[in-house]
Amino acid sequence: MGVSVFAHELCLPVHDRGYLYNGTPPQNYDVAASQCRNAYVGSDAHGNPAAIWRNFDHDANVPKLVKFAKDHGKPVVVAEAGMMNFTADGGSTDGLEQERGALWVGRLCSLMNYRGPIPNLSEEHDLRGVIRSVVYIDLHFRYGWDGIDDGSFD
């Protein structure tokens, strides 16, 4: 199975003409932590099934796809992985590249070695080793869509 992984799949904000993607805060997005908020099925203090809310580093659809692949004995290839749109105003990113880049890489690698809950599902899931290959694409989207304002890039 092939999938693309960009900033919003790693619950990092993507700014495009003022639009902050991934749950459009505050709905299911923790702005301060730059993480998605979702519930998984856990247990309450009495051992009963209960919705447990927490922050996640990955959009819910990505670990679900990886679990689906694992359940069907298929490997996953991340065919496109790239960082994009570090700033809301498209201005200078001086000083943000290392910080945001390290966060992006850390979250991508944690997806490749993920063990834990998956939103809307019960139990812990071990997804280590399902992602077998990652291809990075150098987008240069730090300043938006590199000056393409007419929508032709889409």
Side-chain angles (χ1 to χ4, degrees):
M1 296 178 69
V3 66
S4 297
V5 174
F6 297 105
H8 53 279
E9 281 91 21
L10 301 176
C11 294
L12 293 169
V14 175
H15 304 281
D16 187 22
R17 297 182 184 95
Y19 181 63
L20 178 64
Y21 182 80
N22 209 318
T24 306
Q27 300 166 337
N28 292 356
Y29 192 75
D30 183 335
V31 178
S34 291
Q35 290 179 307
C36 297
R37 288 207 36 83
N38 281 296
Y40 66 95
V41 181
S43 299
D44 65 14
H46 305 289
N48 299 312
I52 309 294
W53 282 88
R54 64 165 268 190
N55 286 8
F56 286 89
D57 287 339
H58 313 103
D59 182 88
N61 293 316
V62 178
K64 285 180 183 179
L65 176 138
V66 176
K67 180 188 177 308
F68 179 84
K70 180 180 180 181
D71 290 348
H72 290 85
K74 303 295 181 189
V76 171
V77 173
V78 177
E80 298 177 322
M83 293 178 267
M84 55 197 292
N85 301 62
F86 288 163
T87 61
D89 63 1
S92 174
T93 63
D94 291 346
L96 292 177
E97 288 90 347
Q98 296 301 318
E99 174 190 337
R100 301 275 173 88
L103 186 58
W104 185 90
V105 168
R107 288 188 180 181
L108 178 62
C109 290
S110 71
L111 175 62
M112 294 166 35
N113 294 301
Y114 187 76
R115 279 192 315 182
I118 296 176
N120 304 316
L121 300 178
S122 59
E123 305 173 5
E124 299 262 323
H125 300 274
D126 186 347
L127 303 179
R128 295 174 297 173
V130 179
I131 297 175
R132 305 271 179 86
S133 176
V134 176
V135 178
Y136 177 76
I137 59 174
D138 190 1
L139 299 171
H140 290 295
F141 286 169
R142 294 181 308 239
Y143 304 104
W145 297 106
D146 285 345
I148 302 173
D149 290 328
D150 63 2
S152 62
F153 182 83
D154 298 336

